[in-house]
Amino acid sequence: SGLSSVTTKSLDIDNDGVYDFDIVKNQNYAVINFYLVPKNNNKIVCVGNIVDTLNVNDLISSSSNFGTTSSTLLYFDYSTNSGLGFWQNAVNKFIGIAFNTATGLKYGWIRMTNVNTIAGYGYNSISNQPILAGEGVINVAENVLLSDNGNNGDGRDLRIKFNKALFENKLNDYRVLVIPTAKVANFTID
């Protein structure tokens, strides 16, 4: 069996001081297992006991297929090079959730850039009302990297890399402002 480690990330979706879900990573030399645990009778959109991957704008509502028990995000066995779960190669997907609050049941989502990274979460503040996966996300480019690939001194040699905005279809264009160091102190966007 060997040594194993367990890591738990507790999520308080609405910041009320009550943890709503735990994401648990259990790993040893041969197996890694990520699973999502609903707390306080909360719910997760699942297919059987496997956490489903939702796309941006998928509806999360009372008609969603919810599970109420610990559900697998990803189970992978290194010794057989085989896995179980929809999150093995998932990138920028959502988990549909429903959680109980003092004012009623709220529908929401957890955005995962991959099975190991939470990018954010959101919920409909009106009880028992549906929400679209990703609804309310600030629509900006992410992971912007700038590199100077030469010594032209005039900006022609700059390279900019970024991850596109989640709702890129709602953008007209991306804009980048490059300000010379000597002018930074007096620069404003106005």
Side-chain angles (χ1 to χ4, degrees):
S1 57
L3 296 174
S4 65
S5 65
V6 178
T7 306
T8 301
K9 171 71 176 167
S10 297
L11 304 177
D12 179 4
I13 303 297
D14 59 347
N15 294 314
D16 66 352
V18 176
Y19 290 123
D20 303 302
F21 300 91
D22 285 340
I23 295 180
V24 180
K25 175 184 174 185
N26 188 347
Q27 183 172 11
N28 66 32
Y29 73 96
V31 172
I32 187 167
N33 186 12
F34 288 90
Y35 51 97
L36 187 59
V37 181
K39 302 174 83 99
N40 307 311
N41 296 313
N42 295 331
K43 304 173 187 178
I44 309 162
V45 175
C46 292
V47 176
N49 68 338
I50 308 294
V51 177
D52 203 358
T53 54
L54 302 181
N55 294 310
V56 68
N57 289 328
D58 282 354
L59 182 66
I60 303 161
S61 70
S62 61
S63 62
S64 297
N65 188 26
F66 285 106
T68 58
T69 61
S70 182
S71 300
T72 300
L73 283 160
L74 172 67
Y75 175 89
F76 192 83
D77 186 332
Y78 295 105
S79 65
T80 61
N81 200 32
S82 62
L84 172 70
F86 303 119
W87 288 88
Q88 188 166 345
N89 297 308
V91 177
N92 282 323
K93 297 290 185 178
F94 296 86
I95 300 170
I97 58 172
F99 63 101
N100 295 293
T101 70
T103 59
L105 186 68
K106 310 288 187 186
Y107 294 104
W109 49 262
I110 302 169
R111 179 179 169 212
M112 307 282 287
T113 54
N114 59 51
V115 73
N116 201 33
T117 308
I118 299 168
Y121 37 84
Y123 66 96
N124 191 331
S125 61
I126 302 171
S127 296
N128 299 306
Q129 293 299 306
I131 190 169
L132 299 175
E135 188 174 333
V137 168
I138 297 172
N139 200 31
V140 297
E142 297 177 338
N143 299 319
V144 179
L145 299 173
L146 176 69
S147 58
D148 188 354
N149 293 338
N151 291 314
N152 294 341
D154 60 6
R156 289 181 292 140
D157 54 357
L158 295 179
R159 180 175 178 171
I160 300 166
K161 291 175 56 176
F162 60 91
N163 295 348
K164 67 180 185 176
L166 190 60
F167 299 102
E168 190 174 46
N169 62 331
K170 295 183 179 182
L171 294 178
N172 291 326
D173 50 32
Y174 291 100
R175 295 180 185 178
V176 177
L177 301 174
V178 180
I179 311 304
T181 303
K183 296 185 179 183
V184 167
N186 297 323
F187 177 78
T188 66
I189 295 183
D190 297 333

